[in-house]
Amino acid sequence: MKENPIIYYGGDYNPEQWDEQTMEEDMRLFEEAGITIVTLNVFSWALLQPSEDTYDFTTLDRIVDTVTKHGLSICMATSTAAHPAWMARKYPDILRTEFNGMKRKYGSRHNSCPNSPNFRRLSRNLAGALAEHYKDQKNIVAWHISNEYGGACYCENCERAFRIWLKEKYKTLDALNKAWGTNFWSHTFYDWDEIVAPNLLSEHIDETTTDFQGISLDYARFNSDSILQNCVDERDAIREVLPDAAVTTNMMYYFKDLDYQKWAKELDFTSWDSYPRYYTKPASVALWHDVMRSLRHGQPFWLMEQTPSVTNWQPVNRIRRPGEMRLWSYQAVAHGADSVMFFQMRRSAAASEKYHGAVIDHVGTNQTRVFREVKALGGELQKLGNQTTGARTPAKVAILFDWNNWWAVEYSSGPNDRLRYTEEVHRYYEALFEQNVSVDLVDVYADLSAYQLVIAPTLYMVKPGVDEALKTFVKNGGELIVSFFSGIVDENDHVTLGGYPGKLRDLLGIWVEEIDAVPEEAPNAFTYQGETYPATLLCDLLHAETAEVHATYRDDFYSGMPAITCNHYGKGKAWYVATASDHAFYQQFLKDRIEECSIAPVLDTPKGVEAALRESEKGTFLFLLNHNKTEETVLLPHGGLDLLTDCSYAPQSSLTLPAKGVAILKK
Ligand SMILES: [Zn+2]
């Protein structure tokens, strides 16, 4: 993937909904706002293919010609996220069956069965036809497969495909029965055709409560793989015509359905749609930017969608306050984005997204607050040019983040329904974020050699080889933090027998004998470095074998048992935090670990002011983002040139950021 020549600025543009005159007016307004790219053709399948034997590119040709004439780059979508009505009527197998067993009729979007042979054929053909038709269109800089893939299907096509997937994975029924532990509750399968999809009609009580974790876990993997195959089908159809095409699909926020780490390997670059709620913490958005950047080993990603002002689909659609769109756009860039893009460019007049914010509102002019903010940001991005594009984030801390573990932790029957994997990840991330420490969120098989500190929050599932990789990391001098309810099961959700935390037992130097779920109203407590903190959610009751004890529980019959331990292993240390605690604890505990590892935070800043770094041969860029509603002053030990204002700061001078203000200092 080539480096972006600028920070692309624009977004989803649907002029199919408008007449030609409106489009001409859009072009004028886009130029005024500094728009450089449009994503076209996201939902146009019904227009492009009025019947099975006919493609009609007339409307899209007109749009492509117009935006090209006005010098815009194109991110070309393949339109396959909503199938045409005629297709559903002609081939009912393309319609999904829901988790509750309900077969859908035509309607909505994101509604195609991933294992329908007809859907696979028709979507692949469309992607290929688009590539063929636009193969000489030089301003297409990226291909955008489908849109916001997700969900799951439980139809008979999928059930058949699941059996094939299982045969490929397990080869024999004997191996499958062992992996799923089917002697429990008389589940032994004697014929592949006896296997059905795990949903509300079979193993499930609700989406996350299953009676057979192994089956549900495999179905989650199968479903993610099935939908990924749709994406790969289209990617391959494009590559057959355009071998050098840059292909992506837009991912989403805290999205559990799809194993994005597996998906990212099939794409040329990562892109995602960021839609925080009005109360979402800046740390949560930053975390997800870092997940996206880490999917392809730190390669810059695209912010494919965000709203310039408001969403329509959240329970409370609060408009973004003045300055927030700019601040959140720069936060994406600070964490590795090489584009700032919106949904949508012009606000639609009909159907479900007509109240979703847009660059051009229903009034249709440049006389809106939102347009003025978009235009101001467009001017700044033009001024920034290509200075920050391609730059990387230097991180010495990695947090392990694993989709299979996410599924398994939340399918687990017990010990506490309130346990959420992403919240455990967030506890550690937020404390690092607030100390301006750069973090990668990597998969469990990532190369850890570049990191000094690795954190594995609730690593419940230890996949083959992961224990060895962690041991090597610590043996070579790394510092590892593992939190409670870790090392419990293997990749099939089978408990590793012989004492928790299973394969991590000698590395951590502990034995967890029991796990106590803590009611919300009755937390335990522990004292760390002289301060007392709550012990919540789960308390592992453990024995230190070779580990040192750094904190013990205060209350209950396990008062005095270890709550925090540290095991010296080779040249490094392996910490175990046996419970969940409050924010103050994570701040202190991680501050100590950062100091111990001599990891330098990006900058010391007032609370609520984020500092993030990107580096390339073009320079080192320090992003300062004031998330507060008040002006803040930041001391700059090294000084630098603010690329947004051209103000030069001497070493040891200070910079004042207005509320929601941003500075980008080039060292
Ligand atoms: Zn299906």
Side-chain angles (χ1 to χ4, degrees):
M1 173 74 184
K2 275 190 306 194
E3 182 183 310
N4 286 4
I6 46 171
I7 299 171
Y8 284 125
Y9 191 50
D12 278 32
Y13 183 45
N14 304 303
E16 298 88 346
Q17 299 170 13
W18 308 99
D19 56 25
E20 278 190 49
Q21 203 185 337
T22 307
M23 209 177 148
E24 283 302 325
E25 176 63 1
D26 291 340
M27 294 302 108
R28 195 183 67 71
L29 292 171
F30 289 176
E31 193 181 342
E32 185 183 338
I35 299 302
T36 53
I37 192 166
V38 283
T39 302
L40 299 178
N41 200 41
V42 180
F43 288 106
S44 307
W45 199 348
L47 277 185
L48 293 169
Q49 196 173 5
S51 70
E52 179 152 7
D53 308 319
T54 321
Y55 287 121
D56 179 358
F57 294 105
T58 318
T59 305
L60 188 56
D61 281 347
R62 175 172 64 83
I63 296 165
V64 166
D65 285 349
T66 305
V67 303
T68 303
K69 201 170 73 196
H70 287 83
L72 295 167
S73 294
I74 296 171
C75 173
M76 182 62 88
T78 59
S79 263
T80 51
H83 52 239
W86 64 259
M87 203 176 283
R89 185 165 170 229
K90 188 169 178 184
Y91 301 112
D93 72 292
I94 69 169
L95 296 165
R96 278 190 189 175
T97 294
E98 297 283 351
F99 176 73
N100 63 6
M102 177 180 81
K103 174 77 176 173
R104 292 196 70 98
K105 289 191 176 184
Y106 175 73
S108 191
R109 62 172 186 170
H110 305 146
N111 50 359
S112 307
C113 165
N115 289 298
S116 152
N118 288 309
F119 175 75
R120 289 190 59 187
R121 172 174 54 83
L122 291 160
S123 56
R124 190 173 45 219
N125 288 350
L126 177 62
L130 281 161
E132 184 59 40
H133 190 78
Y134 293 110
K135 65 178 184 230
D136 298 320
Q137 193 67 40
K138 300 289 180 230
N139 55 334
I140 296 179
V141 295
W143 287 81
H144 172 305
I145 309 281
S146 189
N147 181 68
E148 296 184 342
Y149 277 116
C153 182
Y154 300 86
C155 75
E156 287 177 4
N157 272 325
C158 287
E159 229 160 43
R160 272 192 294 274
F162 184 42
R163 292 176 196 132
I164 293 166
W165 186 92
L166 292 169
K167 269 184 209 169
E168 276 173 21
K169 179 171 178 179
Y170 294 108
K171 315 293 182 218
T172 66
L173 271 177
D174 192 37
L176 173 137
N177 279 314
K178 270 204 189 94
W180 287 356
T182 52
N183 284 343
F184 180 78
W185 284 0
S186 184
H187 266 54
T188 309
F189 295 104
Y190 293 99
D191 190 309
W192 294 96
D193 288 343
E194 291 163 6
I195 298 165
V196 299
N199 66 355
L200 212 51
L201 303 179
S202 52
E203 301 294 353
H204 278 254
I205 293 149
D206 58 42
E207 296 251 5
T208 56
T209 313
T210 170
D211 285 329
F212 252 90
Q213 284 75 21
I215 302 177
S216 297
L217 197 54
D218 268 341
Y219 203 80
R221 289 167 174 147
F222 157 76
N223 182 63
S224 176
D225 284 359
S226 296
I227 301 176
L228 174 57
Q229 187 57 51
N230 294 164
C231 181
V232 166
D233 285 348
E234 291 190 38
R235 179 204 67 189
D236 290 349
I238 293 166
R239 281 197 187 154
E240 264 175 39
V241 183
L242 296 162
D244 299 325
V247 176
T248 192
T249 186
N250 48 341
M251 298 177 176
M252 290 178 286
Y253 196 66
Y254 283 105
F255 197 70
K256 193 175 166 186
D257 295 359
L258 307 176
D259 180 352
Y260 283 157
Q261 287 163 339
K262 201 167 179 184
W263 277 63
K265 292 186 176 82
E266 305 296 339
L267 304 170
D268 295 305
F269 67 100
T270 305
S271 64
W272 83 285
D273 302 348
S274 178
Y275 290 104
R277 313 261 167 141
Y278 68 88
Y279 51 80
T280 305
K281 291 178 176 178
S284 297
V285 186
L287 188 161
W288 217 242
H289 285 312
D290 288 350
V291 168
M292 291 295 159
R293 186 191 66 242
S294 304
L295 288 178
R296 290 184 54 81
H297 315 294
Q299 179 187 312
F301 61 90
W302 285 28
L303 178 64
M304 189 63 90
E305 289 183 24
Q306 64 168 343
T307 177
S309 56
V310 70
T311 58
N312 64 289
W313 48 268
Q314 293 177 6
V316 177
N317 296 289
R318 193 180 202 211
I319 55 175
R320 286 188 173 190
R321 275 31 199 169
E324 279 180 359
M325 181 279 287
R326 174 176 181 264
L327 176 65
W328 294 357
S329 298
Y330 281 122
Q331 190 188 29
V333 176
H335 285 265
D338 276 358
S339 79
V340 172
M341 293 163 71
F342 302 109
F343 180 85
Q344 49 195 335
M345 297 306 291
R346 178 179 275 272
R347 205 170 203 179
S348 54
S352 66
E353 290 182 316
K354 62 181 173 296
Y355 301 126
H356 194 293
V359 171
I360 304 168
D361 212 324
H362 285 150
V363 70
T365 70
N366 58 2
Q367 297 299 309
T368 63
R369 174 184 71 89
V370 172
F371 188 88
R372 282 192 292 273
E373 289 195 30
V374 169
K375 178 180 165 177
L377 179 59
E380 288 183 346
L381 295 179
Q382 278 185 347
K383 184 166 145 62
L384 275 176
N386 71 345
Q387 296 192 80
T388 61
T389 54
R392 300 288 180 129
T393 301
K396 291 289 169 200
V397 182
I399 297 180
L400 300 190
F401 188 85
D402 181 64
W403 260 262
N404 281 233
N405 190 52
W406 189 356
W407 296 330
V409 165
E410 293 177 17
Y411 278 146
S412 168
S413 179
N416 191 333
D417 266 2
R418 289 189 293 115
L419 175 59
R420 293 285 174 274
Y421 177 54
T422 51
E423 283 175 20
E424 296 316 309
V425 172
H426 192 269
R427 291 182 203 278
Y428 286 88
Y429 181 87
E430 187 178 25
L432 293 163
F433 172 84
E434 289 182 352
Q435 292 170 51
N436 295 319
V437 173
S438 304
V439 182
D440 288 339
L441 285 115
V442 302
D443 69 81
V444 293
Y445 289 121
D447 177 4
L448 302 177
S449 58
Y451 301 108
Q452 287 168 264
L453 176 64
V454 169
I455 306 171
T458 307
L459 189 64
Y460 164 77
M461 174 186 284
V462 177
K463 291 176 177 170
V466 171
D467 51 322
E468 288 305 323
L470 293 176
K471 282 174 192 169
T472 303
F473 169 72
V474 179
K475 212 179 273 175
N476 292 338
E479 198 150 326
L480 173 72
I481 302 170
V482 177
S483 75
F484 62 91
F485 201 44
S486 283
I488 308 289
V489 299
D490 67 8
E491 75 278 18
N492 296 317
D493 203 61
H494 275 227
V495 170
T496 304
L497 301 178
Y500 316 134
K503 289 178 172 175
L504 304 177
R505 187 168 167 181
D506 64 320
L507 171 60
L508 294 162
I510 56 167
W511 167 42
V512 174
E513 184 182 346
E514 292 183 86
I515 300 168
D516 191 22
V518 184
E520 250 179 312
E521 66 280 11
N524 203 319
F526 62 89
T527 300
Y528 169 75
Q529 307 284 30
E531 287 290 327
T532 299
Y533 300 100
T536 61
L537 205 61
L538 292 180
C539 288
D540 284 349
L541 277 49
L542 67 88
H543 306 275
E545 294 180 321
T546 55
E548 297 163 358
V549 177
H550 285 254
T552 54
Y553 292 116
R554 186 188 66 190
D555 303 331
D556 218 323
F557 77 94
Y558 47 93
S559 166
M561 282 183 96
I564 299 175
T565 60
C566 178
N567 195 37
H568 291 262
Y569 190 90
K571 291 187 219 156
K573 291 179 181 179
W575 291 83
Y576 194 71
V577 180
T579 184
S581 192
D582 64 5
H583 186 53
F585 165 70
Y586 293 101
Q587 276 195 318
Q588 186 57 49
F589 182 68
L590 287 168
K591 188 167 179 283
D592 293 345
R593 301 290 76 74
I594 293 298
E595 278 172 17
E596 197 168 65
C597 295
S598 305
I599 295 166
V602 172
L603 193 71
D604 192 17
T605 56
K607 190 172 163 41
V609 177
E610 179 185 352
L613 213 57
R614 287 184 72 177
E615 292 178 346
S616 71
E617 68 273 11
K618 287 181 268 186
T620 299
F621 304 93
L622 170 65
F623 290 78
L624 296 173
L625 307 149
N626 182 8
H627 295 284
N628 296 330
K629 289 176 185 161
T630 50
E631 181 181 284
E632 300 290 349
T633 299
V634 182
L635 179 70
L636 302 170
H638 305 292
L641 172 71
D642 185 350
L643 300 177
L644 299 176
T645 60
D646 292 328
C647 281
S648 193
Y649 294 89
Q652 302 304 332
S653 63
S654 59
L655 180 154
T656 300
L657 287 166
K660 311 280 174 202
V662 177
I664 306 174
L665 293 165
K666 188 175 178 180
K667 275 196 207 163

